């Protein structure tokens, strides 16, 4: 028994298609090739898993980053700083393993929406702070960080739709 | 059907989030407890955590106070290095200080430091006590063989507030 091949078959039962196939019914999104979707899901999972791990390894810096936004009361700062990295890491890990993929993608969509709203509020206030969302280098809250996270939102949302219509379309 | 599936996915996402919250609370309970006590308790916790981490990561790097730094400046006994970003250095810096941010990529040291004897007393500073750039640069200089490197942790803000000499060039 080939575990990897069978794992792939169980997770992605759809037959091979062209890179982009036109939708068969109205409202259904264009379908992407199975392996392209696997690569995108693994890339997304890797990004959030790494991000979550980085925040777990430097918890006090993330607490300071959450405080710097000045959105939450101090009572919720610790809870948020404790929960978000674990949620990112858990969603990334489960997505990479292929378990509850739609739930993981939906959670990532919700998390990124929260980040985007927080960044938007901060930019409107004119605060120049570290976004607390960097992977390798520190980034300030601004349109660059906003656009990067927007791309992640589009990716996670698009993959969720693909998974949704594949199973229930 | 569609809403039922989305509801199931949301429930799964909520479960992952709840489990992540439990893990996060258990792993970061000290910071969560401090945040429930209020902003001052959280700030005190973060400062203690920062000091402990610095003692471990930047072990052996001596620090100097404002009065000690001013004395070295007046006696012209030390070379001053500004570890802030170049833009901040260009705005204002301690008179005679050389700019050397931690992410300095060029192989050659900046003018004023190249050719400096390794026994030369060097004072490194950045913006304020929460900034770690000065510690990173001091560590880098020690790795290059400079033996008399000290860090002015209070930073440029305290120097400027004390009214000591600053310049633009």
């Amino acid at each position: 028994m080939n575990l990897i091949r069978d794992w792939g078959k169980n997770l992605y039962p759809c037959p091979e298609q062209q890179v982009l196939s036109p939708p068969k019914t109205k409202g259904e999104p264009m379908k992407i090739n199975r392996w392209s979707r696997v690569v995108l899901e693994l890339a997304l999972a890797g990004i959030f898993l790494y991000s979550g791990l980085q925040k777990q390894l430097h918890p006090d810096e993330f607490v300071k980053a959450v405080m710097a936004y000045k959105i939450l009361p101090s009572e919720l700062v610790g809870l948020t700083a404790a929960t978000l990295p674990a949620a990112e890491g858990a969603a990334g890990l489960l997505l990479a393993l292929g378990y509850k993929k739609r739930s993981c993608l939906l959670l990532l969509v919700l998390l990124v929406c929260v980040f985007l709203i927080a960044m938007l509020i901060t930019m409107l206030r004119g605060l120049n702070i570290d976004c607390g969302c960097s992977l390798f280098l520190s980034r300030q809250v601004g349109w660059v960080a906003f656009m990067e996270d927007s791309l992640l939102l589009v990716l996670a949302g698009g993959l969720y739709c693909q998974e949704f219509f594949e199973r229930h379309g | 059907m569609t809403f039922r599936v989305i509801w199931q996915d949301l429930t799964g996402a909520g479960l992952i989030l709840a489990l992540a919250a439990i893990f996060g609370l258990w792993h970061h309970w000290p910071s969560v407890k401090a945040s429930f006590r209020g902003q001052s308790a959280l700030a005190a916790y973060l400062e203690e955590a920062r000091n402990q981490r610095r003692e471990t990561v930047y072990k052996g790097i001596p620090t100097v106070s404002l009065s000690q730094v001013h004395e070295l400046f007046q006696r012209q006994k030390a070379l001053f290095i500004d570890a802030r970003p170049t833009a901040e250095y260009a705005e204002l810096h301690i008179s005679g200080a050389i700019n050397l941010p931690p992410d300095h990529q060029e192989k050659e040291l900046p003018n004023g430091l190249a050719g400096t004897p390794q026994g030369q007393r060097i004072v490194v500073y950045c913006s304020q006590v929460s900034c770690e750039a000065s510690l990173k640069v001091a560590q880098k200089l020690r790795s290059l063989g400079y033996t008399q490197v000290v860090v002015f942790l209070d930073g440029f803000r305290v120097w400027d507030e004390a009214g000591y000499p600053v310049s633009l060039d």
Side-chain angles (χ1 to χ4, degrees):
Chain A
M1 179 174 67
N2 186 321
L3 287 174
I4 294 175
R5 184 187 60 201
D6 291 344
W7 174 72
K9 272 186 186 173
N10 289 334
L11 291 174
Y12 305 102
C14 284
E16 290 287 341
Q17 296 175 352
Q18 295 176 359
V19 175
L20 276 177
S21 302
K24 291 178 183 171
T25 59
K26 189 178 176 183
E28 185 182 333
M30 296 192 77
K31 291 189 178 176
I32 59 174
N33 176 275
R34 176 202 306 179
W35 294 112
S36 302
R37 199 169 61 224
V38 170
V39 168
L40 287 173
E41 285 178 353
L42 287 176
L44 192 69
I47 288 170
F48 280 96
L49 183 56
Y50 182 78
S51 174
L53 274 174
Q54 283 297 308
K55 294 184 180 84
Q56 284 285 348
L57 291 174
H58 305 283
D60 53 341
E61 289 184 17
F62 188 60
V63 172
K64 279 190 278 187
V66 173
M67 279 175 69
Y69 278 86
K70 295 180 183 175
I71 294 175
L72 296 172
S74 64
E75 291 81 5
L76 292 181
V77 166
L79 183 63
T80 304
T83 304
L84 284 185
E88 278 186 355
L93 180 63
L94 291 174
L95 183 62
L97 294 174
Y99 182 72
K100 295 282 185 189
K101 284 196 295 179
R102 289 201 316 275
S103 293
C104 293
L105 288 166
L106 199 55
L107 179 58
L108 292 177
V109 164
L110 294 172
L111 287 176
V112 175
C113 283
V114 167
F115 296 150
L116 288 173
I117 291 169
M119 271 202 273
L120 204 55
I121 292 172
T122 304
M123 288 194 297
L124 289 172
R125 285 174 170 178
L127 292 177
N128 187 20
I129 58 171
D130 190 296
C131 75
C133 55
S134 55
L135 290 181
F136 304 107
L137 300 171
S138 62
R139 305 190 281 177
Q140 298 294 102
V141 171
W143 286 113
V144 173
F146 189 86
M147 293 308 298
E148 286 177 4
D149 283 352
S150 299
L151 282 175
L152 288 176
L153 178 65
V154 168
L155 182 61
L159 288 171
Y160 176 80
C161 292
Q162 291 287 326
E163 288 286 334
F164 183 90
F165 282 104
E166 180 183 298
R167 296 296 179 95
H168 304 281
Chain B
M1 169 71 173
T2 302
F3 292 115
R4 188 163 62 94
V5 172
I6 293 174
W7 178 250
Q8 284 174 353
D9 294 341
L10 274 172
T11 306
L15 185 61
I16 296 171
L17 186 62
L19 291 173
I22 291 170
F23 173 79
L25 283 170
W26 167 73
H27 203 237
H28 301 295
W29 179 243
S31 64
V32 175
K33 194 167 70 170
S35 74
F36 282 142
R37 288 180 183 163
Q39 198 162 0
S40 55
L42 183 57
Y45 168 80
L46 289 175
E47 189 177 334
E48 190 185 333
R50 182 190 66 208
N51 292 338
Q52 282 179 359
R53 184 171 44 81
R54 283 179 178 179
E55 277 177 20
T56 308
V57 176
Y58 304 107
K59 194 176 177 182
I61 297 179
T63 59
V64 289
S65 64
L66 176 64
S67 57
Q68 289 171 318
V69 168
H70 188 232
E71 189 180 339
L72 286 170
F73 178 84
Q74 284 183 318
R75 291 186 183 181
Q76 298 182 350
K77 291 276 186 185
L79 178 66
F80 281 73
I81 290 186
D82 190 321
R84 296 176 299 163
T86 306
E88 283 185 44
Y89 168 83
E91 278 183 19
L92 211 56
H93 52 265
I94 294 178
S95 294
I98 300 165
N99 186 223
L100 181 61
D103 54 355
H104 181 80
Q105 298 291 336
E106 295 169 18
K107 290 182 182 176
E108 290 183 3
L109 293 171
N111 291 334
L113 186 59
T116 303
Q118 295 197 328
Q120 166 74 47
R121 175 67 65 94
I122 298 175
V123 177
V124 189
Y125 69 92
C126 55
S127 53
Q128 53 189 331
V129 69
S130 58
C131 170
E132 291 199 358
S134 53
L135 290 162
K136 290 177 186 170
V137 169
Q139 199 172 48
K140 189 175 171 182
L141 289 171
R142 280 162 65 105
S143 70
L144 293 174
Y146 293 96
T147 56
Q148 300 291 322
V149 183
V150 297
V151 169
F152 174 40
L153 270 181
D154 286 336
F156 180 74
R157 177 183 287 187
V158 168
W159 177 276
D160 193 29
E161 284 173 355
Y164 293 149
V166 294
S167 62
L168 296 169
D169 57 359

